Structure formats: structure tokens, C-alpha cells
Amino acid sequence: MTSSVSTKTMANALRALAMDAVQKAKSGHPGMPMGMADIAVALWKDHLRHNPKNPKWIGRDRFLLSNGHGSMLQYGLLHLAGYDLSIEDIKNFRQLHSKTPGHPEVGVTAGVETSTGPLGQGIANAVGLALAEKMLAAEFNREGFDIIDNYTYAFLGDGCLMEGISHEVCSLAGVWKLNKLIALYDDNGISIDGDVKNWFHDDTRKRFESYGWNVIGPVDGHDVAAVSQAIEEAKKSDKPTLIDCKTIIGFGSPNRQGTSKAHGEALGEDEITITRKAIGWDYGPFEIPSEVYEAWDARAKGEVEESAWTNLYAKYKEAYPELASELERRLSGQLPADWDDVCFNALLKAVEEEKTVASRKASQMALNALASHLPELVGGSADLTGSNLTNWNGVEALRANNMLGRHINYGVREFGMGAIMNGIALYGGFIPFGATFLTFSDYEKNAMRMAALMKLRTIFVYTHDSIGLGEDGPTHQPIEQLASLRLIPNMDVWRPCDTVETIVAWEAAIEREDGPSSLIFSRQSLPFMEREETNADEIAKGGYILEEAPAGKGAAEVVLLATGSEVSLAAEARKILTAENVQCRLVSMPSTTVFDRQSDSYKEEVLGKDLPIVAMEAASTGLWWKYVKGKGTVIGIDSFGESAPAKELFKMYGFTVDNVVDTIKKTLQKGKN
């Protein structure tokens, strides 16, 4: 950075770009970028280690904008620092297919580490990133070789702190002593509805101190030197740090600063004109003088920093070739060379044992078979380990003093767990999973949505998948949750019927590189399903013919379509119908989302072209009607459950062999009339 351009001028360049881009788009949030511009200068000029020419350099610090509505601050920083983000991209702010969408999106804009906007999830992702850094460092660093060694910096605002998820994740960050996590709080006292003191007067300092954080400030957020000094102090702490930066929203705007009017709408041409004059910015719209670009340009410095790291890594690789090879494999997302053999052996064992167990237990059996061969697998539960069965043989618990542990106790923090897992996945080197009861997926839903949007390899595990959990009653019995998960774009949802399908579901989730998966397991025992041939490739297509009509292919009169615990029920009904010479094909569909991606010819091969279909699932019926297409019916539950033993509930809601047989007969008779 050159000394001829003042930090005030550097900050004003950010303010000007934010004003101009929002005004041109007639949409956006200028207040936060204008208020946090000086904080951004302090961090990016004096502390942030990054290389604009290589945004994916593993040695870089991570920077996240949890208050993602202020995206123009990040876009301005990336543009000025020398990333692949032109002034034309800035001018296209919030326009179709631009590199500058309304909120930051990973994979769209070089230098953006995570997609933010839903408040609180950015700081949650930051906790996950900081945790992943600490875990990977504990595993791979050696004396004199701090290969994994970066800070995670997060900007956040009042909205992030009001969201409950911030409590969940910041509490855990303190427990884990994530000392390389530094959060800079835009303490401006203003939200959309106005002065936050009327609805948010927490003692933020005491709150974070109680979490086990180091708290600095309040400091003047418009004093670059003071903020830089605070960051330097934060780096010395053995705890995560919150720096409270007192700022004025919309700083520099004579008529808007300090008010909610600065938050989420363009300033207007007249106000921009007088703001330019007030801050001493004597340039036109989107005009940045060359000396300001030079002051901001981080490319040369970034190349030097990356070169130093590369030289250190070369020596590390020479000293520890096996560790280096494993680190490279993990960071590339590749699975171990023997992975296919591991999965095959696990499947073979499941077939040989023919165990009748709850699918949650089958899931634990799968973990026991797979996890020891997959060191990148890290998982846990939201205080339900003994119920979700997410621990496995030999696994150690992760603790602040044992970052080599791979089982995480998240406590009762479903939403925080999901968003932290997303952060771990974003960092790389790990495949995270976390579990709770299916009905509590509602708490986790927005983190799941963000995982799907970001195409992350995150695995969400849910047990107690139906009224089969029994006496806990309707508050805990999921009804609509399966359908709601299947409605999330790019989310693969698996509900296996036995140990074999469970192995395949875990394998598919682990191998998937372009999105998350949800694995849904039962509390109650499910019988092992006999198969003439165990074809994992067919099961992996999401739906397959488990039992063909006895008279052979083409003879079926009706298709019994089921998933999860209802597959064995359908199989029992099929036996009775077969004895009565009714030709039934049994189709197991462990994943509707995966099956729907198959070719039309395969789907027709499995479901038939004109056959009536009776679908069954102990959950809401809505999504099953697309398979039935008016020629059959759906046996399901479109009301809340009851508190009673599982057997009584299944009988009450029609999940009995007699009712299934009767429904199929009525369906066939209706087709003849």
C-alpha cells in the first residue's frame, strides 16, 4: 500500500462505490458499507492475508460478511484489491447473471467465502470455518511447519446478534476456544424499524464474555488506527474475539446517516451529490482515481505471502510426504483409493448378516464400517447421540484440548449445528454430518437450504422418522417434514428400508460432491428385505424393483410403492395378494429426489407405463400423488399424530397389512369399472 493516499480516502472509495451501485440498481443497502468502510480499511490494509490472483489459496485468511445485505462493501473491497471483479461488474450490481448479486454468493464472485444474507448464518459459517482450521491444523501441522494457519474474520451487525443462531454458535466458539476467530461488530444501533434500543438492549459485552470470548471495545469504528490496533490485540488472545466498533450507519450522508433511511434504499441523486461534497470525494459516478487503485491493490503483497507459504509447504512435503499427500487428497475432495472396496465389503456384510434393526442402528453399523476408512468424516448430534446413534467404534469426542476428536457434541443447537457444518464443508478437508430428530429439522431448515444453494457436501441425519416413535406424541412425530425436505432444490433425501439401503444411502451422501443429503432413519426395528440380487447401483438410483410380480416382468397388475419402514409392510401385503393370484410389483423408493433425476425410460421401467400405483408412507401424502397420476391412491397421514404406542398408531392410521391389501383390491376394482 502506498502512503500517499490516506485511509480516509481509501474508505471513501468504498462509500462512493456503494452509493453509486445501489443508486444505479435502484435497490440495495448503502448504509452498512458506508458505516463499515473504515473498519474494512483497517482489516484489509493491515491484517488480511490473501492473494487476489489466487482466491482459493489454502493459506489465506477467511473473510465473511455475516451482515450480507451490505454486499456492496465486499464487492467494493474485491474490486479495489484486484480480484476478478471489474467496474462493469460493480455497475451491474443486482442485475441478472451478474457477478454482484444482491447478497454475496459463493461460486458466483471470486473471493466470496460463503453465501450470506439470512442474518446470523454468516457468523455461524465463520465458527465452522474456524473450527475446521483448528481441526486440520491439529491433524497436519508439525513443529516448524504451520501449514494450516489462518484467521477467520467476520463482519456482523445488530441483526446477526438478534437472531437466535448467533447465541448457539458463539456459545460453541467459546467452548472450543476458537482463538483465530475475530468478529467485528458494526454497532450502529439502527435496524430497518429504527433505533434498536426499543427492542434490543442486551449487554453484548457481558453476553460474549459469558460465552468465553475476548471482548474489545467499544472502539471508534471510524478510526482506522484504533480498529487496526484492536485487531492486533485480538490476535494475541487464546479465545475468540468480538471487537465492538461504534459506527454511524450511512456515514457521510448529511440527511441519511444515523437513520433507518440509510439502511435499505438508494440515497437518491441529490443526497449522493451532497454526500460526495461532505466526504470530499471529487469524482464522478464509478470513478476511482489511479492512485486509489494503487493504494488498494493487494496483488503484489498477496503473491509474496503465497510464495512464502508455498516455499514452506515444499519443505513440509519433503519432510512429511505421506501427510502432504493425504492433505492434498482431503482438500481436493477426493475419497480414499480403497473407498469402493470399503463400501462393497460393508454392503456384503450387511447382506450376510440379514439383521432386523432400526434403520438408525443400521446407520451406526454403516458408520462403523465406513468411518475408520474415512478420516475426513466428522459428525455428531444435537444432544441426542444415544438416540441418533451418531458415534462409532473408536471415535474420540472433539474438545478444546482435543481437536483430533471427530465426534462433535453440538448441544441442543440444531440450527447452529447445521450452519457450522456448512462452514466446515466450505473450508474443505472434512465431510461433516450432524443429527437430530426429524421433527426438529424445522429448526435447522434454513441452514439446509443454504447448504443446497451453495452445493455443499454436508450430510444431515435425522432419526425418529414417523409416528413409529410412539408415545412422545404429535409434538415429536414428523408428518410434513419429509415432504418439506424433498421440496428443497438440490437436496437429496434418503429414507432407507433396511441395512442394505442404509449402506447405499450413506455411500451416496459421502460421494456426492454437488450438494447436501438428508438421511432419514427409523426408531423402530425394520426387517431385512430379501432380494434375489443385491444391486447397489440400482438402489443408488433412488427407486428400484425390489420384488417383481411372480409371473414375471410385464405381468404386474399393480405397483406397490413404498419407502422406509413402509416397504416391509408393502412386502407383507404383496404376499397375501400373491396367494390370491394378484400380480403385484413391489418398488422400494429410498430417495424420491434421486429417482426423479433418472431417465424417463428407467422410471417407466420401474413404475410401469399404465399400471395403477398404490404408494404408502407414514407421512403427508402430497408429493406421492405425482407417481400415482390418478390411477391409484396414496396411503399416508395428513393430520398430526397422537401419543400412544407405535403399533396402536400404525393401526389407527391404516398402516396395517389388512388395510393395504384392501386398498389395493379397491384400486384394482376401480380400474375395472
Side-chain angles (χ1 to χ4, degrees):
M1 301 286 180
T2 62
S3 58
S4 60
V5 174
S6 69
T7 55
K8 177 183 176 182
T9 300
M10 294 175 70
N12 284 340
L14 291 169
R15 294 185 175 102
L17 286 174
M19 288 190 299
D20 292 340
V22 172
Q23 184 62 36
K24 186 175 185 296
K26 294 182 173 57
S27 171
H29 302 75
M32 182 282 246
M34 296 174 72
M36 293 196 78
D38 300 296
I39 301 169
V41 172
L43 175 61
W44 282 59
K45 182 177 82 72
D46 297 337
H47 299 281
L48 192 71
R49 185 171 72 163
H50 63 120
N51 183 5
K53 288 188 175 181
N54 184 10
K56 294 299 184 182
W57 166 40
I58 188 61
R60 71 192 183 280
D61 291 333
R62 273 42 168 198
F63 171 74
L64 297 87
L65 204 68
S66 190
N67 40 356
H69 55 271
S71 58
M72 262 312 304
L73 177 63
Q74 186 160 17
Y75 298 147
L77 286 164
L78 295 171
H79 170 68
L80 293 170
Y83 284 80
D84 181 20
L85 197 70
S86 69
I87 196 66
E88 292 303 315
D89 293 321
I90 299 294
K91 291 178 181 179
N92 283 328
F93 178 55
R94 288 187 163 225
Q95 303 310 298
L96 185 64
H97 303 314
S98 74
K99 292 184 182 179
T100 48
H103 293 83
E105 294 183 37
V106 67
V108 172
T109 314
V112 169
E113 300 285 359
T114 183
S115 299
T116 55
L119 293 176
Q121 286 201 66
I123 184 62
N125 294 164
V127 171
L129 284 160
L131 176 62
E133 188 273 342
K134 198 165 187 177
M135 287 192 296
L136 212 61
E139 185 175 355
F140 287 98
N141 286 356
R142 294 295 182 266
E143 186 175 350
F145 293 102
D146 289 336
I147 298 304
I148 305 298
D149 181 24
N150 67 267
Y151 286 92
T152 299
Y153 297 100
F155 283 4
L156 71 163
D158 290 309
C160 295
L161 295 184
M162 282 187 261
E163 288 285 1
I165 190 174
S166 69
H167 163 69
E168 297 181 22
V169 301
C170 292
S171 174
L172 280 169
V175 168
W176 293 328
K177 296 184 177 180
L178 301 180
N179 60 300
K180 288 185 178 177
L181 172 61
I182 299 175
L184 294 107
Y185 168 32
D186 180 26
D187 187 3
N188 62 45
I190 297 294
S191 67
I192 293 173
D193 282 356
D195 193 331
V196 301
K197 68 183 179 184
N198 296 304
W199 49 85
F200 181 59
H201 62 190
D202 303 18
D203 189 327
T204 299
R205 183 182 189 98
K206 288 182 180 178
R207 172 185 164 186
F208 274 78
E209 285 176 347
S210 74
Y211 293 152
W213 283 54
N214 171 42
V215 182
I216 298 174
V219 300
D220 183 353
H222 300 297
D223 184 336
V224 172
V227 175
S228 182
Q229 177 64 34
I231 296 171
E232 193 61 44
E233 184 182 338
K235 290 179 177 179
K236 300 172 185 176
S237 177
D238 62 352
K239 305 174 182 178
T241 296
L242 179 75
I243 302 175
D244 182 357
C245 303
K246 287 288 185 181
T247 63
I248 300 172
I249 191 170
F251 182 86
S253 170
N255 298 306
R256 295 287 185 92
Q257 68 176 18
T259 73
S260 59
K261 291 288 287 183
H263 175 85
E265 61 183 69
L267 297 182
E269 296 289 358
D270 292 343
E271 186 66 16
I272 289 176
T273 297
I274 62 174
T275 300
R276 289 182 191 280
K277 185 175 181 180
I279 65 176
W281 188 257
D282 299 324
Y283 308 99
F286 301 103
E287 182 183 351
I288 305 292
S290 59
E291 61 269 21
V292 173
Y293 275 124
E294 290 173 8
W296 269 110
D297 195 340
R299 287 172 292 188
K301 183 185 176 189
E303 285 193 277
V304 170
E305 290 173 331
E306 182 174 355
S307 179
W309 182 90
T310 301
N311 290 335
L312 179 66
Y313 183 72
K315 295 176 182 176
Y316 171 82
K317 192 170 184 177
E318 184 176 345
Y320 302 100
E322 292 183 2
L323 276 176
S325 177
E326 175 68 2
L327 177 61
E328 290 172 12
R329 178 190 72 78
R330 296 261 294 272
L331 291 174
S332 72
Q334 294 180 1
L335 296 174
D338 65 346
W339 175 247
D340 288 343
D341 292 337
V342 169
C343 293
F344 177 79
N345 291 333
L347 193 66
L348 187 64
K349 185 177 180 182
V351 172
E352 290 174 346
E353 291 181 342
E354 298 187 4
K355 284 193 173 181
T356 292
V357 294
S359 55
R360 61 173 174 156
K361 182 61 180 177
S363 171
Q364 188 176 49
M365 292 164 60
L367 285 172
N368 284 331
L370 303 177
S372 61
H373 301 274
L374 200 66
E376 57 262 52
L377 194 65
V378 54
S381 173
D383 202 47
L384 290 169
T385 299
S387 294
N388 300 147
L389 303 182
T390 51
N391 52 353
W392 60 93
N393 293 338
V395 69
E396 295 181 6
L398 182 137
R399 298 288 184 263
N401 62 356
N402 181 23
M403 282 289 150
L404 294 175
R406 291 296 173 259
H407 183 268
I408 302 179
N409 301 102
Y410 284 101
V412 188
R413 301 180 177 95
E414 296 89 354
F415 191 8
M417 173 178 69
I420 287 173
M421 290 195 302
N422 288 344
I424 294 171
L426 284 161
Y427 194 93
F430 296 102
I431 300 175
F433 74 88
T436 185
F437 291 164
L438 178 56
T439 192
F440 301 140
S441 63
D442 292 334
Y443 286 138
E444 198 172 10
K445 191 67 61 60
N446 207 264
M448 302 178 73
R449 183 177 189 274
M450 295 307 294
L453 193 153
M454 292 190 277
K455 302 179 181 179
L456 299 180
R457 188 189 259 169
T458 308
I459 302 174
F460 300 90
V461 176
Y462 299 106
T463 67
H464 296 59
D465 69 341
S466 73
I467 56 172
L469 67 88
E471 293 86 345
D472 277 338
T475 60
H476 284 53
Q477 292 165 5
I479 299 296
E480 76 281 12
Q481 282 75 16
L482 277 164
S484 67
L485 297 189
R486 290 168 178 148
L487 285 172
I488 300 174
N490 199 40
M491 173 67 71
D492 280 357
V493 181
W494 291 86
R495 187 173 179 243
C497 73
D498 68 354
T499 54
V500 168
E501 287 190 0
T502 299
I503 291 283
V504 174
W506 265 108
E507 181 182 359
I510 288 169
E511 290 179 354
R512 189 175 186 216
E513 298 180 15
D514 60 352
S517 301
S518 294
L519 307 182
I520 318 296
F521 302 121
S522 71
R523 179 196 184 195
Q524 74 275 21
S525 292
L526 306 180
F528 179 84
M529 300 305 299
E530 295 289 344
R531 297 169 175 83
E532 289 186 10
E533 180 183 359
T534 302
N535 189 330
D537 290 338
E538 273 199 344
I539 298 173
K541 291 179 179 179
Y544 65 104
I545 299 172
L546 179 61
E547 294 179 347
E548 185 55 276
K553 201 164 186 177
E557 300 172 65
V558 63
V559 173
L560 282 66
L561 174 60
T563 185
S565 54
E566 288 67 68
V567 172
S568 58
L569 174 64
E572 289 300 313
R574 178 181 175 277
K575 288 180 183 178
I576 293 174
L577 290 163
T578 297
E580 297 179 12
N581 202 33
V582 177
Q583 298 291 316
C584 302
R585 173 187 294 173
L586 174 57
V587 172
S588 176
M589 194 172 287
S591 178
T592 62
T593 52
V594 174
F595 180 77
D596 287 348
R597 292 201 298 269
Q598 304 308 313
S599 66
D600 289 342
S601 60
Y602 179 76
K603 287 186 279 190
E604 184 177 308
E605 177 186 338
V606 171
L607 297 178
K609 187 174 183 180
D610 296 307
L611 293 176
I613 296 174
V614 175
M616 61 196 78
E617 184 171 57
S620 56
T621 62
L623 294 182
W624 290 101
W625 291 101
K626 66 183 178 182
Y627 302 115
V628 171
K629 296 179 180 178
K631 295 180 180 178
T633 192
V634 179
I635 302 172
I637 307 173
D638 288 317
S639 65
F640 292 113
E642 297 279 350
S643 180
K647 288 184 179 179
E648 293 181 28
L649 291 172
F650 281 124
K651 182 177 180 180
M652 173 183 172
Y653 287 103
F655 288 91
T656 63
V657 173
D658 288 345
N659 184 58
V660 173
V661 169
D662 185 53
T663 300
I664 291 168
K665 287 181 177 179
K666 288 179 179 177
T667 299
L668 288 171
Q669 186 61 43
K670 181 180 177 182
K672 293 175 182 178
N673 292 339

